[in-house]
Amino acid sequence: MTATEKLAAYIKAHPHAFGKVVDVDLLRDKLYPLDLTISNTDLTAELVSDTAAFSQYVDERLAANKCRYAVGGYMEHRTIYNRSELFGTEGEPRRLHLGVDIWGPAGTPVYAPIAGVVHSFADNNYFGDYGPTIILQHQLEGFTLYSLYGHLSRTSIEGLAVGDIIKKDQQIAALGNIDENGSWPPHLHFQLMLHIGDAKGDYPGVGYFSRKDEYAQNIPNPELVLNFANAIKA
């Protein structure tokens, strides 16, 4: 059973277990599917290496399509990671995106979709990295689920403590700006994991394409929680 199948089975048995990650009206809002693969020819190396220009591109896509957020990315093979040496330049580079990105304005509130505790947090302050990051731990029936929130504002991790109790739909953070979120257009990296080993405040959000099947055993599709599919602009 893959991680997605395991979480899907839990949600089927507990259909109201999960709440929101961002404020969105799934009956009225439209979400823009942002393609960050090589097939998007707008994404030149020059564009993605310039964070301000990259941010402007995302903002223009949202405005032109009258969408509140841009979304996408689970198991997407992206070329944009060549903007940072963090993702490797020799051998097989990391290019497989393991979570879902939700692109919106800096300051956008971020919520815990299910009750849990603060597992860990850190400011991964490196070009192309997560910037401020929070990992929550959730005890479900029969297994543990971890949720990761990356590219946050620095104020999001101020005053946090490991073990803090978090309620369902509680605001836990806000999207960071380009000067604090790892130098990305403002967005949330939202990722789910069943096991994280000894990781604290960080867990890979981009992996190796050759290990895709392996990742699928541990990293569920966040769409199970988000339920964005019907709101994505055709």
Side-chain angles (χ1 to χ4, degrees):
M1 180 181 290
T2 67
T4 294
E5 290 168 341
K6 188 168 188 175
L7 182 58
Y10 177 85
I11 292 174
K12 184 177 180 179
H14 305 83
H16 304 295
F18 288 89
K20 62 185 177 180
V21 175
V22 292
D23 288 311
V24 61
D25 184 336
L26 295 175
L27 297 178
R28 298 182 181 181
D29 288 330
K30 288 298 179 183
L31 309 175
Y32 180 72
L34 186 61
D35 180 1
L36 298 182
T37 70
I38 196 170
S39 63
N40 185 349
T41 55
D42 291 338
L43 297 178
T44 63
E46 292 76 19
L47 175 67
V48 298
S49 64
D50 183 333
T51 306
F54 192 4
S55 297
Q56 183 177 348
Y57 170 79
V58 175
D59 290 343
E60 288 173 350
R61 293 293 86 209
L62 289 172
N65 290 277
K66 298 180 172 60
C67 289
R68 187 170 185 181
Y69 305 108
V71 298
Y74 177 67
M75 296 298 177
E76 184 175 74
H77 191 237
R78 296 174 167 179
T79 55
I80 62 168
Y81 296 116
N82 58 13
R83 74 194 296 262
S84 172
E85 62 184 19
L86 177 71
F87 303 102
T89 56
E90 298 180 2
E92 181 187 1
R94 291 190 293 135
R95 296 289 183 265
L96 186 69
H97 191 255
L98 302 177
V100 163
D101 288 333
I102 304 172
W103 309 77
T108 296
V110 176
Y111 303 89
I114 191 168
V117 299
V118 174
H119 171 273
S120 52
F121 56 93
D123 186 354
N124 298 290
N125 186 20
Y126 186 85
F127 180 77
D129 210 331
Y130 284 133
T133 309
I134 297 173
I135 298 177
L136 302 183
Q137 180 175 343
H138 317 275
Q139 192 61 48
L140 308 185
E141 290 180 6
F143 66 101
T144 301
L145 181 70
Y146 298 88
S147 58
L148 181 149
Y149 311 80
H151 308 297
L152 307 175
S153 66
R154 289 210 169 96
T155 57
S156 298
I157 59 175
E158 292 178 358
L160 274 188
V162 171
D164 281 351
I165 296 173
I166 303 296
K167 297 178 181 179
K168 175 183 174 182
D169 291 333
Q170 177 181 333
Q171 182 179 348
I172 58 168
L175 299 193
N177 61 48
I178 63 176
D179 297 320
E180 60 187 349
N181 74 351
S183 297
W184 290 97
H187 73 287
L188 172 69
H189 177 95
F190 176 60
Q191 185 169 313
L192 303 172
M193 300 83 62
L194 302 185
H195 307 283
I196 62 173
D198 59 0
K200 293 182 179 179
D202 189 15
Y203 189 86
V206 181
Y208 300 100
F209 186 78
S210 64
R211 296 173 59 184
K212 184 175 181 179
D213 290 345
E214 176 186 336
Y215 299 134
Q217 301 305 310
N218 186 49
I219 301 174
N221 187 345
E223 170 59 19
L224 291 171
V225 172
L226 297 170
N227 292 307
F228 280 172
N230 291 334
I232 294 176
K233 183 180 176 67

